[in-house]
Amino acid sequence: MTSIAGRPDSTLHAGLLRDVAHGLSGPQKELPPKYFYDRRGSELFDEITRLPEYYLTRTERALLDCWSGPLMAALRPAALVELGAGSADKTRLLLDAMVYAGSGEVYVPIDVSAEFLEDSASRLRAEFPTLGIEPLVADIVDPLDLGDDLPSPAIIAFLGSTIGNFDPAGAVRLLRNVARAIRPGDRLVLGADLRKDPKIIERAYNDAQGITAEFNLNVLRVVNRELGADFDLSAFEHRAFYDRTLHRIEMHLVSTDDQLVHIPGVGDVAFAGGESIRTEISCKYDQASLAEMLGAAGMRIDRWIADAASTYALIVASRTSETSRP
Ligand code: AVJ
């Protein structure tokens, strides 16, 4: 079990009511994917990462297994900053390599949940006594403030292809925040899922055991519990498909019938049979699309590290000179 499964339910953002009211008012109803991850949702995601169909996590881990050592030896970072510090086992690979390189001084995990951060920080302090473990409570979509005392150079890691949950404009905004926060010698290490046979991608989001369906439906459980809504989970079905034009998976919850859902503070929300809520997009990239997004954000690709089948990539990027700090 990775520590993401220990993420406490208090992670839930105070903005849920606002996001639900706004998300369910448009022609394409939407809920932000960040609300999947209460305790149960985090456990389900943990299960997803071990499914035979879900190649993303194990491919990224295999790349980190091979490349953490050489990368840390080459970059000799004094600091590792992790955006959305999720999966502890991948963090350990990077921290081990940073310590082995002999340059590591601090690890700064960034997450919205203070409780989750303190939990994993105390474990890491015991495991890495030579590192300062300095968690930072922040939402990764907000401007990044790394302070003035972060030792140089730093690696900012953004793993798990979480970048894929943002549309290109949102991804550029996030990457620009990173570009503004880092210094010339710092590097971004980004994990990104790559474009491939759509059948392989669709299978990863439609697993045979139905875990992804459970994960998808869990967002309704969260809204029911947190807002007192009365979503009937048996009246919604999981649907995930690859959009070949936008190069992204879309996950939806499809209403099986005409129905009215009551959400206190929002009101009655009508669903027609077959109407859906889009709960997640998961964008897939190639080198050109990533170079373009990073370029728009004021960064360039220094190294492209992919597996032999080009399933998944680790991208090392740095600031282009014009990018200034805020
Ligand atoms: C954690 C956002 C990378 O998009 O693949 C897994 C979440 N959704 N199965 C992804 C997810 C459905 C995952 N990310």
Side-chain angles (χ1 to χ4, degrees):
M1 192 172 79
T2 65
S3 67
I4 194 171
R7 185 181 295 260
D9 291 351
S10 63
T11 300
L12 289 179
H13 206 268
L16 178 63
L17 184 65
R18 198 190 47 226
D19 287 344
V20 169
H22 177 257
L24 298 185
S25 66
Q28 170 62 68
K29 294 182 169 71
E30 275 184 275
L31 288 173
K34 65 180 171 185
Y35 297 117
F36 285 132
Y37 302 93
D38 66 341
R39 184 177 294 274
R40 181 192 173 96
S42 297
E43 278 163 10
L44 286 166
F45 178 67
D46 217 44
E47 261 189 79
I48 288 173
T49 65
R50 293 189 296 267
L51 290 169
E53 297 95 336
Y54 196 75
Y55 58 84
L56 288 81
T57 310
R58 76 175 57 88
T59 311
E60 183 177 67
R61 188 181 301 112
L63 289 172
L64 286 169
D65 249 321
C66 289
W67 289 100
S68 292
L71 272 179
M72 292 295 180
L75 299 172
R76 297 192 51 75
L80 176 68
V81 177
E82 192 175 10
L83 299 182
S87 155
D89 56 334
K90 282 183 277 187
T91 298
R92 282 189 179 83
L93 286 172
L94 288 166
L95 291 180
D96 270 332
M98 182 168 77
V99 170
Y100 186 78
S103 55
E105 295 171 34
V106 291
Y107 172 56
V108 183
I110 301 182
D111 198 272
V112 281
S113 166
E115 232 175 313
F116 167 78
L117 278 175
E118 262 325 306
D119 265 27
S120 55
S122 47
R123 269 195 300 273
L124 289 169
R125 281 189 188 106
E127 271 180 69
F128 297 94
T130 64
L131 290 179
I133 310 288
E134 297 170 10
L136 193 64
V137 179
D139 193 327
I140 57 168
V141 300
D142 294 332
L144 191 60
D145 183 4
L146 297 177
D148 295 322
D149 328 310
L150 187 73
S152 297
I155 287 182
I156 319 297
F158 189 30
L159 299 173
S161 202
T162 304
I163 187 76
N165 280 179
F166 299 88
D167 63 18
V172 169
R173 231 176 291 132
L174 191 155
L175 293 170
R176 194 177 293 129
N177 287 339
V178 174
R180 288 193 174 129
I182 67 177
R183 300 146 304 180
D186 297 339
R187 295 288 181 269
L188 168 69
V189 175
L190 180 68
D193 193 20
L194 300 180
R195 296 174 191 172
K196 59 183 67 64
D197 182 350
K199 284 198 289 294
I200 295 173
I201 304 178
E202 282 182 339
R203 228 181 284 134
Y205 294 84
N206 289 284
D207 65 279
Q209 292 172 64
I211 310 292
T212 307
E214 271 304 306
F215 173 75
N216 196 2
L217 283 161
N218 187 60
V219 74
L220 300 184
R221 243 185 257 277
V222 170
V223 175
N224 281 351
R225 185 188 61 233
E226 296 301 317
L227 300 182
D230 63 358
F231 276 101
D232 175 2
L233 271 66
S234 68
F236 287 88
E237 280 171 1
H238 167 73
R239 183 159 170 252
F241 60 89
Y242 189 68
D243 184 317
R244 288 158 170 75
T245 309
L246 296 173
H247 307 284
R248 68 188 196 188
I249 279 281
E250 289 197 6
M251 281 213 316
H252 291 251
L253 289 166
V254 185
S255 175
T256 56
D257 279 298
D258 292 358
Q259 56 178 319
L260 212 54
V261 176
H262 184 67
I263 310 175
V266 176
D268 287 328
V269 180
F271 288 86
E275 186 182 357
S276 77
I277 310 171
R278 186 170 64 209
T279 52
E280 183 175 64
I281 62 168
S282 192
C283 299
K284 309 304 173 188
Y285 308 97
D286 55 16
Q287 194 163 345
S289 57
L290 280 163
E292 191 187 325
M293 282 193 335
L294 286 162
M299 282 189 282
R300 67 161 156 264
I301 297 180
D302 295 326
R303 293 193 63 176
W304 175 267
I305 299 170
D307 56 308
S310 283
T311 306
Y312 197 96
L314 293 176
I315 296 97
V316 181
S318 57
R319 239 180 74 174
T320 44
S321 46
E322 317 85 76
T323 319
S324 62
R325 302 189 80 187

